[in-house]
């Protein structure tokens, strides 16, 4: 460690929530111009710690120094005053407003009585140029991509004068291309003298971009190491406290008859543009079909069509030979389809319900949980206890509200519920987004176990490694069509990449 005064020093920070010590005497030093990665299991206490630094929570014990001076950060405004900015995972932008309007929100520059929009837009343009962000000051938030919205959040912190930037899992919502661009932006930020704390579960990213890594486990610091002196394997082991296998162990699939048959499905977007263009594929019992593709090529619309959340214009979707196209979500779910959704806040959990209630969201009306219109809480709680135990969901209690679980533990809870419903078809959309390496390994095993029990599994993922490792067969989606089918052992990421970019077709299985 260098002897220079850290820009931020956390001294023995402790934070308790009912039933849990989220941060247990955590100390950490952020040096000027460094990228300091914060690594830890789901629920280890990373977001809590950063929310303390940004003034959203108060520590129960311990203190913070900024540039060697003890400070009290009792609100985000105070954090901003001290030059600390945070890019949250769930953006806090106003959709119908422009980029500039969002950035100046709450601190509008005035010219006489009026807001000086023009000079603000000019400053946004300058900041964007200085850090290579390519943000258009006049674009409306609703018209720009998720990656661009994140850059708006970055400019917003810079506009407010941040020298210390905190990123909480910034790459979880990004495409591989956007991730590369964000890495470049971060390098640019530190080259200009900023300092960064980066929370990510992706060890590759940590190895690639960070200078220092602090590993925390169950609220405690396990170690702080120089990135150049460690390996992904060592980091993973420090984090979960055991060795982690990065390869997925599985026997060859034994596929049987088709469970899902999708034929020539066509659908349009809300504004009338074609999004599914005659899409056809099968998923058989006892196999995992992986759908690979660049974000925005119809994956979300496909999942919505399969689960009844979107009406299609034509085509057929059969589950075990029964037509389910354009049926209601409830009908499809009851027919034997489980769904791990890509947006866990929109479709997965009701955040203000307890974990127990969330575990029976689709099944509370069944006789097991309901007698004559009255909920059988004893049976519901028992069910919740069982799932939370089996899937290692870290929560102080089954009565805790879903909102207060860590991001990764919310995801694990949804996976537990959906797998436990014992479906014929399991649709897993970005199932490991936001999970730590240990939890990813566990979820992959669960998907394979479902397959081995004769279920059909449809895996939709932007992570090529995941698609290649877990799938038995891969279909590539491009502009709302399946442009090719390949076997994972006969392809590689280059070939898949070309197919995903639409510049190569490979005819595999043809559909009658
Ligand atoms: N507002 C809250 N009320 C009660 N408990 C909370 C609250 N916020 C966090 N916790 C608990 O504190 C612990 C740490 O959560 P935190 O969100 O900091 O984890 P994390 O390391 O960010 O995990 P992940 O990688 O899954 O995002 C968890 O057990 C969580 O349930
Ligand atoms: Mg978190």
């Amino acid at each position: 460690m260098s002897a220079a005064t850290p820009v931020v020093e956390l001294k023995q920070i402790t934070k308790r929530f009912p039933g849990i010590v989220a941060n247990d005497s955590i100390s950490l030093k952020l040096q000027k111009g460094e990228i300091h990665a914060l690594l830890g299991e789901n629920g280890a206490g990373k977001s809590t710690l950063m929310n303390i630094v940004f003034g959203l929570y108060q520590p129960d014990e311990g203190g913070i120094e900024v540039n060697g001076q003890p400070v009290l950060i009792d609100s985000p405004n105070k954090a901003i005053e001290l030059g600390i900015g945070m890019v949250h995972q769930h953006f806090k932008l106003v959709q119908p407003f422009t980029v500039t309007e969002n950035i100046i929100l709450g601190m509008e520059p005035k010219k006489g009585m009026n807001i000086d929009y023009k000079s603000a837009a000019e400053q946004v343009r300058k900041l964007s140029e200085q850090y290579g962000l390519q943000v258009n000051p006049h674009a409306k938030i609703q018209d720009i991509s998720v990656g661009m919205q994140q850059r708006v959040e970055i400019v917003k912190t810079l506009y407010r004068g941040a020298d210390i930037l905190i990123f909480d899992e910034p790459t979880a919502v990004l495409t591989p291309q956007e991730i590369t661009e964000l890495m470049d932006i971060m390098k640019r930020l530190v080259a200009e003298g900023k300092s960064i704390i980066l929370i990510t579960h992706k060890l590759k990213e940590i190895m690639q971009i960070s200078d220092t890594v602090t590993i925390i486990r169950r609220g405690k610091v396990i170690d702080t190491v120089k990135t150049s002196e460690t390996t992904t394997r060592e980091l993973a082991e420090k984090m979960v406290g055991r060795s982690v296998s990065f390869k997925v162990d599985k026997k060859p699939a034994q596929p049987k008859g088709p469970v899902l048959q999708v034929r020539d499905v066509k659908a349009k977007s809300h504004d009338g543009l074609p999004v599914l263009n005659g899409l056809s594929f099968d998923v058989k019992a006892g196999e995992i079909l992986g759908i690979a593709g660049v974000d925005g090529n119809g994956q979300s619309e496909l999942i919505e069509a399969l689960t009844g959340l979107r009406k299609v214009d034509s085509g057929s979707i059969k589950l075990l030979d029964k037509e389910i196209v354009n049926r209601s979500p409830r009908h499809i779910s009851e027919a034997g389809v489980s769904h791990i959704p890509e947006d866990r806040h929109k479709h997965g959990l009701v955040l203000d319900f307890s974990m127990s209630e969330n575990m029976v969201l689709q099944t509370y009306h069944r006789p097991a949980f309901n007698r004559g219109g009255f909920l059988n809480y004893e049976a519901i709680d028992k069910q919740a206890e069982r799932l939370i135990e089996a899937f290692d969901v870290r929560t102080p209690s089954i009565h805790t509200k879903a909102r207060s679980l860590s991001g990764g533990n919310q995801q694990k809870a949804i996976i537990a519920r959906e797998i436990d419903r014992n479906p014929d078809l399991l649709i897993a959309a970005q199932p490991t987004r936001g999970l730590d390496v240990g939890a990813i390994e566990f979820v992959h095993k669960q998907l394979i176990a479902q397959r081995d029990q004769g279920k059909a599994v449809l895996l939709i993922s932007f992570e090529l490694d995941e698609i290649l490792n877990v799938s038995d067969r891969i279909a590539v989606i491009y502009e709302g069509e399946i442009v090719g089918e390949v076997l994972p052992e006969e392809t590689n990421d280059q070939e898949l990449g070309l197919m995903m970019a639409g510049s190569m077709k490979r005819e595999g299985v043809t559909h009658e």
Side-chain angles (χ1 to χ4, degrees), residues 33 93 175:
L93 300 169
T175 61

Side-chain angles (χ1 to χ4, degrees), residues 68 95 120 155 168 207 274 336 345 405 428 481 486 492:
Q95 293 289 324
V155 178
D168 192 350
M207 294 308 290
H345 286 170
L405 260 66
E481 262 184 278
V486 289
N492 52 44

Side-chain angles (χ1 to χ4, degrees), residues 335-463:
V337 177
S338 275
H339 172 208
I340 300 165
E342 53 182 341
D343 185 339
R344 57 183 163 244
H345 286 170
K346 234 199 230 155
H347 300 302
L349 295 172
V350 181
L351 292 177
D352 285 317
F353 281 14
S354 72
M355 285 319 291
S356 191
E357 290 162 326
N358 269 292
M359 288 301 96
V360 294
L361 274 190
Q362 307 100 324
T363 47
Y364 65 88
H365 54 84
R366 292 191 179 163
F369 304 127
N370 194 313
R371 273 193 210 120
F374 289 99
L375 290 180
N376 179 350
Y377 280 107
E378 206 177 315
I380 292 173
D381 288 352
K382 230 175 170 173
Q383 166 79 346
E385 293 280 6
R386 186 174 62 77
L387 290 179
I388 278 166
E389 163 86 34
F391 283 77
D392 189 27
V393 179
R394 308 261 170 95
T395 175
S397 129
I398 55 167
H399 303 298
T400 305
K401 281 190 180 160
R403 183 182 299 286
S404 63
L405 260 66
S406 80
N409 281 295
Q410 293 176 352
Q411 175 77 349
K412 286 199 274 182
I414 295 171
I415 293 175
R417 182 187 70 205
E418 294 303 313
I419 288 185
D420 189 69
R421 286 173 55 219
N422 198 20
D424 296 308
L425 172 68
L426 174 64
I427 300 173
Q430 322 294 347
T432 58
R433 184 182 271 178
L435 295 191
D436 67 55
V437 287
I440 290 174
E441 181 186 45
F442 179 77
V443 168
H444 287 166
K445 277 190 184 149
Q446 294 298 317
L447 295 180
I448 290 160
Q450 288 295 299
R451 176 200 82 165
D452 290 343
Q453 286 171 34
K455 314 287 181 199
V457 180
L458 180 64
L459 169 69
I460 297 114
S461 174
F462 300 137
E463 301 281 336

Side-chain angles (χ1 to χ4, degrees), residues 190-368:
V190 289
E192 302 265 335
K194 308 286 180 193
S195 314
I196 294 178
I197 298 182
L198 168 68
I199 299 178
T200 175
H201 288 293
K202 297 183 183 163
L203 299 169
K204 254 192 225 165
E205 289 170 7
I206 289 182
M207 294 308 290
Q208 204 181 324
I209 193 158
S210 72
D211 302 293
T212 313
V213 194
T214 291
I215 304 112
I216 63 178
R217 188 160 84 221
R218 297 190 183 238
K220 289 197 175 81
V221 172
I222 298 297
D223 205 357
T224 294
V225 295
K226 284 213 171 84
T227 311
S228 57
E229 292 168 5
T230 186
T231 62
T232 44
R233 191 160 292 277
E234 186 185 41
L235 288 177
E237 294 186 8
K238 285 206 159 117
M239 177 176 129
V240 299
R242 62 175 168 87
S243 72
V244 175
S245 89
F246 290 93
K247 266 273 166 229
V248 179
D249 271 332
K250 59 171 189 180
K251 295 195 281 290
Q254 309 272 333
K256 304 271 171 359
V259 171
L260 179 73
Q261 288 172 293
V262 179
R263 287 296 175 278
D264 210 22
V265 164
K266 292 188 180 153
K268 293 197 189 69
S269 69
H270 302 300
D271 33 21
L273 299 171
V275 283
L276 299 178
N277 287 316
L279 199 111
S280 300
F281 65 90
D282 281 356
V283 192
K284 300 191 188 82
E287 80 164 348
I288 300 176
L289 176 72
I291 302 249
V294 176
D295 190 12
N297 277 279
Q299 291 94 326
S300 304
E301 292 83 0
L302 169 64
I303 298 162
E304 288 168 4
L306 293 175
T307 52
L309 292 165
R310 169 184 293 270
K311 294 272 178 275
V312 309
D313 298 325
S314 63
S316 152
I317 302 174
K318 282 186 180 160
L319 183 74
L320 293 169
D321 279 333
K322 287 205 187 70
E323 190 60 65
I324 54 165
V325 76
N326 290 341
R327 301 302 301 260
S328 69
R330 176 81 163 258
H331 175 94
I332 293 171
S333 155
E334 291 286 304
V337 177
S338 275
H339 172 208
I340 300 165
E342 53 182 341
D343 185 339
R344 57 183 163 244
H345 286 170
K346 234 199 230 155
H347 300 302
L349 295 172
V350 181
L351 292 177
D352 285 317
F353 281 14
S354 72
M355 285 319 291
S356 191
E357 290 162 326
N358 269 292
M359 288 301 96
V360 294
L361 274 190
Q362 307 100 324
T363 47
Y364 65 88
H365 54 84
R366 292 191 179 163

Side-chain angles (χ1 to χ4, degrees), residues 12 36 56 120 286 309 335:
Q12 296 179 304
H36 194 127
L56 287 163
L309 292 165

